[in-house]
Amino acid sequence: MAKPNNEYVNREISWLHFNERVLQESADPDVPLIERLRFLGIFSNNLDEFFKVRFATVKRIADAGKTGRSVLGGESAKVLQEQITKKAIQLQAKSGRILEKIERELATEHIYIVNEKELKKEHEEYVVEYFQQKINPELIVVILNTLTEFPTLKETAAYLAVRMVLQNPDEVPIEQLGIQYALIEIPRHLPRFLVLPELKGENYIIMVDDVIRFCLKQIFTMFVSTEITAHMIKITRDAELDIDNDLSKSFIEKISSSVEHRKISDPVRFVYDKRIKIDTLRFLKDKMKIEEMDSVIPGGRYHNRRDYMSFPSLGRKDLQYQKIDALPVKGVRLEGSLLEQIAAKDFMIYTPFQTYSYVIKFLREAAIDPKVKSIKLTIYRLAKNSQVAAALINAARNGKEVTVQIELQARFDEQANIKYANIFQEEGIKLIFGITGLKVHTKICFIDREEGKSLKRYGFISTGNFNESTAKIYTDYTLFTAHDGILREVNKVFDFFDVPYKINKYKHLVVSPHYTKNVFSKLIDNEIANALVGKEAYIKIKMNSFTSYKMVDKLYEASRAGVKVQLIIRGVCCLIPGIKGMSENIEAISIVDKFLEHPRVFIFSNGGNPKIYISSADWMTRNLDYRVEVGCPIYDEDVQQELMETFDICWSDNVKARVFSEKQDNAYRDNDKPRVRSQFALYDYYKKKLKKKG
């Protein structure tokens, strides 16, 4: 049977559907009320990053006069721009309605978000005092009418566009008559929300934007106005890094320069308060040279809703998710030597259900163990005050040979990584900055320890960043092992960083960009062969995103052969499941819940002797062909069993699982089975394991 014309979902459109699932969380009455506001912030932050990167790429293609169909899933860049803008406008409007509903529900909990016109008399003096002491000294105010050149708006900032209708007394200079426009930059480092003094057991919160609106006349005392209004605007700029080829500059200097250039890069989205006066909007668009074909999006009264991620808790634990205590791994003690325990047996942690302290303990023990000679680690994103970095510095000061591969092009973490790179260099740590044309995204650690007359190898391989902060909110697997074959090959990956023209061969690891696509294709082919002769054949995969059309086609081929495929894809999924003659044996779900789903795990039936891998790589073209990634086989039977059981728990989710389908409607999975909310069930699973004997 021939395939239908629509074999794939466009990547950008699928991403917008993913972000709509995040927005669903903010509308879910079963999610605690303050957490719903925070999901609204995550939705907004996601949308900002999407326009900085993905929409910016589409715009570049369209501006170059190209269709881009080969890289955009058959859609032309110009048409796709229009589709994205239309969908973004719909989502913005939906988020506004959800916010209004949340605010009404907060009021039933005696929490009121008030604007400058709703301010209680009892709070006015407090607000004016806060404005004078905290806000006014920080304000940047620009009068626009007489400027020959419009100021460059910061990509990360929100602005109030002020419109003043002036009086005409004799003392007012003629050039100031009529309408006066101004811009106020809202200070980013101040909290967006001001908690006002409690009144009779009721909580009041006002946004900094409205504090400024309340005090507008105090800012513009030099103008005599009959009317003064302020409406929010913001710009999103192209965030792609353009790295120059100046051979006289170090790689750190090139990245620093490119990050700096983001401040003045082309705007890709202009969002404004839809209540703004037409003349003000026309004035701004004209001065900023924004054309109608650009992504101009009418929004609500408030922008930068990402700040809702930091909405004050007000001490209301009942309106937030209950924090969980990360669990220990059964039979693995944090006291005593962790290396000795790893030498005896592999083990795995699944954060945040289990404690990340094992990673920190491993590095700290290696840092001060006299027998440890060298430590090698890859870094993509570190915590702000990183315990991982502290352990590496400690190791260097103890005379260890420490090598760190740090990815300076980790998007939106470039400046943080540059800061750490400079610190590491000062401490004498050997730095590797990656390979031209390839990002290093793998998460691996390797140490050499002198035991007797030989060196023994230890290490860990993870699906997520070595970041103890995100480990509390991202779900990820980390395998600790002393398997000599695996670790020799981990060391080969570090050798590849130093000598990238030498392509190593691997017996155990699955390494991008050279082998990942081929290895997983062969594993799929094996399932196809087994299905065709009537053997058990299945594939179970959990990833963040699935956009490689070649791998989509391989799974379509597997489906037609009768291989049962289960996919758990958190974000973008270009595959369309359940289409007769193409993908009828494929089911796919997405889980969006309290924690960010981040693991990559691949399970192949292999005729009843499962082959299982964890990996840093999604099945995206960039991960398969343009990044250094590592997939690691799981040999320990207990860890294999744990991975299969945790996958099945996730697959059984019928509370937070949405079903991928041809409709692309983000429908929740609905069945008659007992309710399973997988993230909560996983925590219970690990608690039960601790109670079991043996």
Side-chain angles (χ1 to χ4, degrees):
M1 183 175 177
K3 288 185 189 176
N5 292 328
N6 55 335
E7 298 173 31
Y8 316 111
V9 178
N10 174 269
R11 169 179 164 163
E12 280 67 39
I13 299 301
S14 180
W15 187 94
L16 289 169
H17 285 298
F18 153 66
N19 206 32
E20 191 168 16
R21 294 194 287 278
V22 176
L23 191 58
Q24 284 178 324
E25 289 298 289
S26 68
D28 187 342
D30 291 332
V31 174
L33 203 47
I34 289 177
E35 301 292 351
R36 287 167 61 188
L37 273 178
R38 290 170 181 167
F39 272 110
L40 202 66
I42 295 168
F43 161 81
S44 180
N45 188 64
N46 286 349
L47 200 58
D48 284 348
E49 291 190 2
F50 172 80
F51 271 91
K52 291 176 196 176
V53 180
R54 292 305 310 165
F55 184 83
T57 300
V58 175
K59 186 175 185 297
R60 285 188 180 200
I61 294 169
D63 290 348
K66 299 177 181 178
T67 66
R69 284 192 173 93
S70 61
V71 294
L72 297 175
E75 197 69 82
S76 78
K78 188 169 175 29
V79 170
L80 190 54
Q81 264 188 290
E82 294 169 359
Q83 290 176 351
I84 290 170
T85 300
K86 182 180 178 181
K87 182 67 175 176
I89 290 171
Q90 291 172 353
L91 292 178
Q92 288 276 40
K94 186 176 180 180
S95 71
R97 293 192 296 271
I98 290 171
L99 178 58
E100 289 172 3
K101 188 172 189 300
I102 292 173
E103 288 179 349
R104 290 195 296 271
E105 291 183 45
L106 283 170
T108 67
E109 297 289 341
H110 308 289
I111 298 170
Y112 303 93
I113 302 175
V114 296
N115 63 35
E116 77 281 6
K117 293 177 182 176
E118 299 165 335
L119 203 58
K120 299 284 185 185
K121 286 286 183 188
E122 296 93 323
H123 288 140
E124 288 183 2
E125 186 178 337
Y126 182 89
V127 166
V128 171
E129 179 71 12
Y130 184 84
F131 173 79
Q132 295 292 0
Q133 296 298 322
K134 299 289 186 182
I135 300 176
N136 202 24
E138 303 288 343
L139 285 184
I140 295 175
V141 182
V142 180
I143 307 300
L144 297 174
N145 294 51
T146 56
L147 288 183
T148 55
E149 192 170 325
F150 198 83
T152 300
L153 301 192
K154 294 178 184 175
E155 194 279 327
T156 55
Y159 294 84
L160 288 174
V162 179
R163 179 183 186 271
M164 291 175 279
V165 180
L166 303 181
Q167 284 185 359
N168 190 15
D170 294 339
E171 64 270 17
V172 175
I174 191 71
E175 65 270 13
Q176 291 184 6
L177 292 178
I179 306 296
Q180 185 74 52
Y181 299 108
L183 273 184
I184 300 174
E185 182 180 333
I186 297 175
R188 281 291 297 147
H189 63 279
L190 291 177
R192 185 79 180 277
F193 302 97
L194 174 62
V195 179
L196 301 172
E198 195 175 298
L199 293 177
K200 298 178 181 177
E202 298 192 318
N203 296 107
Y204 294 86
I205 296 169
I206 188 169
M207 296 182 79
V208 164
D209 327 13
D210 290 329
V211 173
I212 295 170
R213 286 186 174 103
F214 187 73
C215 299
L216 277 176
K217 292 207 170 182
Q218 295 184 43
I219 300 171
F220 298 103
T221 54
M222 67 293 300
F223 297 104
V224 182
S225 60
T226 58
E227 180 186 325
I228 182 167
T229 55
H231 295 84
M232 189 168 284
I233 63 169
K234 79 169 180 179
I235 279 283
T236 304
R237 295 188 182 278
D238 187 337
E240 286 296 299
L241 295 182
D242 293 312
I243 302 170
D244 66 45
N245 295 314
D246 187 344
L247 297 178
S248 68
K249 292 182 181 178
S250 71
F251 193 56
I252 291 182
E253 289 173 322
K254 290 178 183 180
I255 296 294
S256 298
S257 173
S258 189
V259 170
E260 192 67 20
H261 177 73
R262 275 184 183 156
K263 296 176 182 177
I264 56 171
S265 60
D266 291 339
V268 293
R269 179 178 59 157
F270 174 64
V271 184
Y272 63 92
D273 183 343
K274 63 186 175 213
R275 299 173 189 83
I276 200 169
K277 295 276 188 182
I278 294 295
D279 64 305
T280 310
L281 182 61
R282 191 182 302 116
F283 174 87
L284 292 169
K285 287 168 66 177
D286 181 56
K287 291 290 185 182
M288 296 166 71
K289 297 181 173 57
I290 291 174
E291 300 176 12
E292 289 306 321
M293 65 177 291
D294 293 326
S295 198
V296 178
I297 297 177
R301 176 181 170 91
Y302 306 101
H303 306 327
N304 278 11
R305 286 184 182 156
R306 60 174 177 255
D307 293 330
Y308 279 103
M309 290 191 290
S310 302
F311 190 81
S313 63
L314 301 168
R316 291 293 300 270
K317 291 183 179 180
D318 58 317
L319 301 182
Q320 300 172 81
Y321 277 127
Q322 183 180 349
K323 287 185 168 53
I324 64 170
D325 295 322
L327 302 168
V329 176
K330 183 177 177 143
V332 184
R333 305 177 315 281
L334 281 165
E335 306 80 24
S337 171
L338 196 57
L339 298 182
E340 286 181 7
Q341 296 175 80
I342 296 169
K345 193 179 187 312
D346 289 0
F347 74 92
M348 184 184 73
I349 60 171
Y350 192 0
T351 53
F353 313 110
Q354 293 173 302
T355 178
Y356 196 71
S357 298
Y358 291 102
V359 171
I360 305 303
K361 165 70 175 176
F362 180 101
L363 292 171
R364 292 196 63 80
E365 182 178 339
I368 62 174
D369 184 342
K371 293 181 179 180
V372 171
K373 301 304 175 186
S374 68
I375 302 175
K376 298 178 181 180
L377 186 87
T378 57
I379 287 174
Y380 197 74
R381 302 187 199 277
L382 287 174
K384 188 174 182 181
N385 297 303
S386 173
Q387 296 172 15
V388 171
L392 296 171
I393 291 167
N394 194 13
R397 290 180 181 176
N398 276 295
K400 316 295 181 194
E401 183 182 313
V402 181
T403 302
V404 171
Q405 193 293 320
I406 187 164
E407 182 49 69
L408 295 183
Q409 297 181 73
R411 185 168 280 133
F412 307 123
D413 275 287
E414 296 95 346
Q415 289 177 319
N417 285 1
I418 288 166
K419 182 195 81 169
Y420 275 117
N422 288 325
I423 293 169
F424 289 150
Q425 281 184 326
E426 290 171 4
E427 295 289 345
I429 292 173
K430 178 185 175 182
L431 289 183
I432 304 171
F433 292 124
I435 303 158
T436 303
L438 296 176
K439 269 190 182 183
V440 177
H441 189 248
T442 180
K443 281 74 178 178
I444 51 177
C445 176
F446 169 91
I447 70 169
D448 270 324
R449 186 172 188 266
E450 201 173 61
E451 297 185 10
K453 294 183 179 180
S454 62
L455 290 175
K456 185 168 177 62
R457 299 166 183 84
Y458 298 85
F460 53 82
I461 296 144
S462 185
T463 65
N465 298 308
F466 301 139
N467 184 320
E468 62 275 15
S469 295
T470 57
K472 296 174 183 175
I473 53 175
Y474 286 26
T475 64
D476 271 305
Y477 294 114
T478 302
L479 175 74
F480 293 82
T481 186
H483 187 285
D484 195 63
I486 288 174
L487 293 168
R488 282 179 183 272
E489 293 185 359
V490 167
N491 201 31
K492 277 186 182 181
V493 176
F494 282 99
D495 291 341
F496 174 64
F497 298 148
D498 267 339
V499 190
Y501 56 81
K502 181 183 177 183
I503 299 176
N504 296 304
K505 292 185 178 180
Y506 303 91
K507 179 182 176 183
H508 304 280
L509 299 184
V510 182
V511 180
S512 292
H514 303 118
Y515 301 110
T516 302
K517 192 159 46 184
N518 287 340
V519 169
F520 282 122
S521 293
K522 286 178 181 176
L523 287 164
I524 296 170
D525 285 338
N526 183 53
E527 296 303 315
I528 292 171
N530 285 339
L532 291 174
V533 296
K535 290 185 180 179
E536 178 186 54
Y538 65 75
I539 300 169
K540 300 181 179 185
I541 298 173
K542 187 172 187 184
M543 293 185 291
N544 296 328
S545 295
F546 187 9
T547 65
S548 167
Y549 298 136
K550 289 183 179 178
M551 299 309 290
V552 168
D553 287 342
K554 285 303 294 183
L555 289 188
Y556 285 162
E557 184 185 346
S559 174
R560 288 193 295 272
V563 179
K564 298 296 182 183
V565 181
Q566 295 175 336
L567 301 175
I568 305 175
I569 313 292
R570 183 196 80 216
V572 178
C573 182
C574 293
L575 177 147
I576 307 173
I579 305 295
K580 191 171 183 181
M582 183 176 83
S583 58
E584 64 216 77
N585 287 307
I586 303 175
E587 295 179 87
I589 62 171
S590 170
I591 297 169
V592 178
D593 200 355
K594 176 181 179 180
F595 303 118
L596 183 79
E597 296 281 327
H598 199 251
R600 292 93 168 182
V601 60
F602 307 85
I603 303 171
F604 300 88
S605 168
N606 192 38
N609 183 25
K611 287 191 174 183
I612 303 175
Y613 296 82
I614 61 170
S615 179
S616 58
D618 294 311
W619 282 0
M620 305 175 74
T621 301
R622 71 184 189 192
N623 302 91
L624 300 175
D625 298 333
Y626 302 110
R627 288 186 172 186
V628 179
E629 307 271 14
V630 168
C632 179
I634 305 299
Y635 295 138
D636 185 276
E637 290 183 0
D638 291 335
V639 178
Q640 282 189 342
Q641 185 67 23
E642 186 177 332
L643 280 166
M644 288 191 286
E645 288 173 354
T646 54
F647 180 94
D648 288 343
I649 289 171
C650 293
W651 184 255
S652 66
D653 194 305
N654 56 7
V655 177
K656 289 297 183 179
R658 285 76 157 179
V659 179
F660 286 106
S661 71
E662 196 175 13
K663 294 179 182 177
Q664 298 183 62
D665 57 359
N666 281 331
Y668 286 87
R669 176 188 268 169
D670 185 18
N671 57 38
D672 296 330
K673 296 179 181 179
R675 279 170 59 91
V676 176
R677 189 170 177 178
S678 57
Q679 292 186 356
F680 290 60
L682 285 165
Y683 189 63
D684 290 340
Y685 166 84
Y686 283 110
K687 281 202 294 188
K688 288 174 185 174
K689 279 178 76 81
L690 289 172
K691 292 176 182 176
K692 284 183 182 177
K693 293 181 180 180

